[in-house]
Amino acid sequence: MSLSGNGTSNGGTAPRQKLEKVVIRFAGDSGDGMQLTGDRFTSEAALFGNDLATQPNYPAEIRAPQGTLPGVSSFQIQIADYDILTAGDRPDVLVAMNPAALKANVADLPRGGLIIANSDEFTKRNLAKVGYESNPLDSEELSDYVVQAVAMTTLTLGAVEAIGATKKDGQRAKNMFALGLLSWMYGRELAHSESFIREKFSRKPEIAEANVLALKAGWNYGETTEAFATTYEVSPAKLNSGDYRQISGNTALAYGIVTAGQLANTQVILGTYPITPASDILHELSKHKHFNVLTFQAEDEIAGIGAALGASYGGALGVTSTSGPGVALKSEAIGLGVMMELPLLIVDVQRGGPSTGLPTKTEQSDLLQALYGRNGESPVAVLAPRSPSDCFDIAVEASRIALTYRTPVIILSDGAIANGSEPWRIPDVESYEAIDHTFAKEGEPFQPYARDPETLARQFAVPGTPGLEHRIGGLEKANGSGNISYEPANHDLMTRLRQAKIDGISVPDIEVDDPSGEAELLLVGWGSSYGPIGEACRRARRQGIKVAHAHVRHLNPFPANLGDVLKAYPTVVAPEMNLGQLATLLRAKYLVDVQSVTKMEGMAFLADEVEGIIDAALDGTLAEKETDKAKFARLAAATVDMGVDA
């Protein structure tokens, strides 16, 4: 029997139950380290070989009052012994570090779910902050759940007392106690987390030691207490062979951009301004100077894209990263990139809007902005990743399009993808085709707007090349020569050429997931809806329901076969985290009655919500449900006007 907290045995103290999957949510105050705790448990699961998916949920306030509902931060992870697509609908286990965390999350827990609560924080003062009149841990209020009250703070302080740690440092380490306890419950070793802690706090060894002691104390508590009757095992998943690592969407995007620069043998220059939830792209790219990556943190959004556009004009791959409010500020410069026909990559990690909106929440409401949010006819290519790991290939492909067709390209990620993580099979970069980024050379014939007959990309010369001096800018140019032109016929021609170039971009056909080949219902989605729609279709098929799924990664231009795919199904439904933007585009372009299902809650669809969409679409009640939403919105507005709390 091991009492050392090294994470190697359950000591035979509790029987081990084998599970196919489990969903765990860590929740606490924004200062409780829930994101770090979740990230470490995720790393343990990845090293163990589970398939996994995560979904952090951050408060928007920089520092909400401690112990209040607006300050609750959570991290949800699903681990499984098979291929999964989402972080799970509802947690099987809720780790609640205070009353606010419990109140904010308990409604998501299914009946019979496990609550592990830090009982030390359930004081009268903390209970009153969130409206609890009495301690729910001591009442029948949580009778539908299995509740384990653990004095995490007291036990952590006891564990660190021997090294003379301050009370403040000891209290900060209680999240590691929770990590140790959950690691014991699911048979995870602590060695990697201990190494991580010691490296993270290498300059503060006393803090490192306190956190390691707290981690082991959590493990030992599980090992020695009789409160937990069972431990659990989730076996490694049977994934395709290869080397894997855990990756978030923002990190995968950064890696894809670095790779694209190497494939094109060109410098990557990021001009950007930090904005939630895109800032991690800047942080990651700044680490890769040795791959000829230059990052520039500008004073504002406009300066950021100005630097990126200048970099593209100088022959580099210019990149800028932002969210919806930043795209609004960058729109004029994007239009300049369209007029000058320069390769430019714009990464929009969408969040709830409009205006400042919901900075830390997810949404898919920038699609029409990406397509049409500029003056004049200014077409750009638009792509959207479907998952965190897909961000790598999307970034490479978007860069290839930008450099090949000499055009701005917008990548529409979103908060759920950017902050979520999953296993990523590390690709063999040698298998990727080189990206052709060529320039006119000294002594060669040169006209700034002479075009490649296949791609319609204009001829490109690096400024300062002897003999290839030219003028370029935002005014309309004459076809071929690039001279300023106000001729009506020329403007019409150039407008159509710029549009034809985007329309002619080669994109792969859309693939349809329809195992039976007999489905009459097609769900079509984009962005982070891929996981919930895919999981819901799997569940429906296990019940004998025939349903098809098509996911659009190329939003401009659309895949050439998309119209035929839509017309092949009697019923087409598009679930979106907006008020029906993709559905509007599909109806207009293909004249297909695409039914729109919308959700604007700052949270991704749940798979069981999409299951309900499938059922409603098949029994003919889907339109009624969407109409009911509109009726409720009008009713709520009316009651507020009358001074009634809706």
Side-chain angles (χ1 to χ4, degrees), residues 424-646:
W424 173 52
R425 186 183 180 188
I426 300 172
D428 177 10
V429 179
E430 298 296 327
S431 66
Y432 285 65
E433 292 184 8
I435 298 175
D436 189 18
H437 186 33
T438 57
F439 310 98
K441 296 180 176 58
E442 182 179 358
E444 293 181 350
F446 175 69
Q447 285 189 313
Y449 285 87
R451 298 184 181 277
D452 181 279
E454 292 186 7
T455 65
L456 296 182
R458 73 173 184 85
Q459 201 172 11
F460 192 94
V462 176
T465 304
L468 303 185
E469 295 83 0
H470 60 284
R471 179 169 53 186
I472 193 169
L475 292 172
E476 184 63 279
K477 307 299 185 300
N479 185 37
S481 69
N483 295 328
I484 294 173
S485 173
Y486 297 101
E487 290 296 323
N490 179 76
H491 178 59
D492 184 274
L493 172 64
M494 294 296 282
T495 300
R496 296 180 189 280
L497 278 171
R498 289 188 287 264
Q499 183 64 58
K501 182 173 65 171
I502 300 302
D503 292 341
I505 292 173
S506 177
V507 302
D509 282 349
I510 194 166
E511 297 180 359
V512 182
D513 178 22
D514 184 3
S516 70
E518 301 174 353
E520 296 195 347
L521 169 63
L522 172 70
L523 296 185
V524 58
W526 67 282
S528 59
S529 65
Y530 173 78
I533 294 175
E535 175 60 28
C537 288
R538 288 180 178 181
R539 295 178 186 177
R541 289 166 189 154
R542 286 197 289 267
Q543 300 172 29
I545 298 173
K546 296 174 181 178
V547 59
H549 176 203
H551 198 79
V552 186
R553 294 168 75 243
H554 298 83
L555 294 158
N556 196 34
F558 283 134
N561 69 328
L562 180 56
D564 292 336
V565 167
L566 297 175
K567 292 172 183 176
Y569 292 88
T571 304
V572 180
V573 177
E576 297 182 76
M577 289 185 290
N578 55 48
L579 294 183
Q581 296 185 20
L582 178 63
T584 297
L585 294 169
L586 297 179
R587 289 191 200 109
K589 186 172 180 64
Y590 300 112
L591 303 180
V592 172
D593 182 21
V594 179
Q595 299 182 56
S596 180
V597 180
T598 60
K599 177 179 179 178
M600 296 289 289
E601 300 176 5
M603 302 292 290
F605 277 99
L606 302 178
D608 64 0
E609 289 177 327
V610 183
E611 280 190 277
I613 292 169
I614 293 172
D615 292 339
L618 292 174
D619 65 22
T621 61
L622 188 60
E624 296 175 16
K625 291 181 182 294
E626 286 298 295
T627 301
D628 288 343
K629 287 183 182 180
K631 288 179 179 177
F632 175 78
R634 288 193 294 271
L635 176 62
T639 55
V640 170
D641 289 341
M642 292 185 293
V644 179
D645 186 356

Side-chain angles (χ1 to χ4, degrees), residues 1-338:
M1 180 175 180
S2 169
L3 294 178
S4 63
N6 61 8
T8 58
S9 168
N10 75 347
T13 58
R16 177 155 290 177
Q17 179 181 346
K18 196 157 187 174
L19 302 174
E20 291 184 341
K21 66 177 181 66
V22 67
V23 180
I24 301 168
R25 184 182 297 176
F26 298 92
D29 194 76
S30 57
D32 284 340
M34 293 296 93
Q35 305 304 322
L36 177 62
T37 306
D39 187 67
R40 287 314 311 158
F41 193 84
T42 301
S43 295
E44 291 179 7
L47 289 165
F48 189 78
N50 298 126
D51 196 15
L52 63 92
T54 72
Q55 193 54 68
N57 189 4
Y58 306 95
E61 288 78 5
I62 294 175
R63 191 67 174 94
Q66 190 171 8
T68 62
L69 291 173
V72 173
S73 175
S74 67
F75 187 104
Q76 182 162 305
I77 175 174
Q78 179 173 205
I79 60 175
D81 64 4
Y82 61 92
D83 171 45
I84 58 175
L85 298 175
T86 74
D89 287 347
R90 292 175 172 79
D92 303 300
V93 180
L94 172 62
V95 179
M97 301 300 286
N98 61 16
L102 177 65
K103 190 158 193 175
N105 292 280
V106 69
D108 293 338
L109 204 66
R111 185 174 183 178
L114 173 62
I115 298 171
I116 302 175
N118 179 13
S119 56
D120 286 329
E121 294 297 318
F122 282 69
T123 63
K124 287 185 178 180
R125 183 165 181 260
N126 287 344
L127 291 166
K129 285 182 182 179
V130 294
Y132 279 125
E133 295 182 359
S134 61
N135 190 343
L137 303 181
D138 300 330
S139 69
E140 293 298 310
E141 185 172 345
L142 302 177
S143 59
D144 286 341
Y145 313 106
V146 178
V147 180
Q148 293 290 352
V150 181
M152 296 187 197
T153 305
T154 299
L155 291 166
T156 300
L157 290 174
V160 304
E161 184 179 11
I163 63 169
T166 66
K167 184 177 180 180
K168 184 177 181 181
D169 288 340
Q171 289 177 327
R172 285 178 172 175
K174 62 182 181 289
N175 62 322
M176 290 297 102
F177 182 98
L179 176 61
L181 176 56
L182 269 292
S183 298
W184 170 81
M185 285 183 63
Y186 292 95
R188 307 299 151 124
E189 296 185 2
L190 301 186
H192 293 291
S193 289
E194 180 177 347
S195 297
F196 170 84
I197 291 168
R198 295 195 184 282
E199 181 178 350
K200 180 177 178 64
F201 298 108
S202 59
R203 296 183 180 180
K204 297 180 179 179
E206 68 283 359
I207 301 295
E209 188 62 26
N211 279 275
V212 169
L213 288 174
L215 180 73
K216 293 183 176 181
W219 172 278
N220 289 337
Y221 178 82
E223 186 90 330
T224 57
T225 186
E226 296 181 358
F228 294 89
T230 308
T231 60
Y232 304 93
E233 176 185 349
V234 180
S235 299
K238 295 179 177 62
L239 303 175
N240 293 329
S241 61
D243 294 327
Y244 287 80
R245 60 152 289 176
Q246 170 201 349
I247 201 164
S248 69
N250 276 344
T251 300
L253 273 172
Y255 286 177
I257 292 167
V258 172
T259 301
Q262 295 295 296
L263 292 171
N265 192 28
T266 192
Q267 185 176 30
V268 172
I269 298 181
L270 175 76
T272 193
Y273 180 76
I275 183 171
T276 302
S279 299
D280 286 342
I281 298 171
L282 166 63
H283 301 159
E284 185 60 44
L285 284 175
S286 67
K287 302 174 184 177
H288 300 292
K289 297 179 179 64
H290 54 291
F291 284 117
N292 203 17
V293 175
L294 175 66
T295 55
F296 167 59
Q297 181 175 321
E299 65 270 27
D300 57 40
E301 295 280 5
I302 298 172
I305 192 170
L309 197 64
S312 292
Y313 179 50
L317 173 59
V319 183
T320 191
S321 55
T322 188
S323 189
V327 173
L329 291 167
K330 295 176 190 291
S331 61
E332 184 178 5
I334 297 173
L336 179 59
V338 172

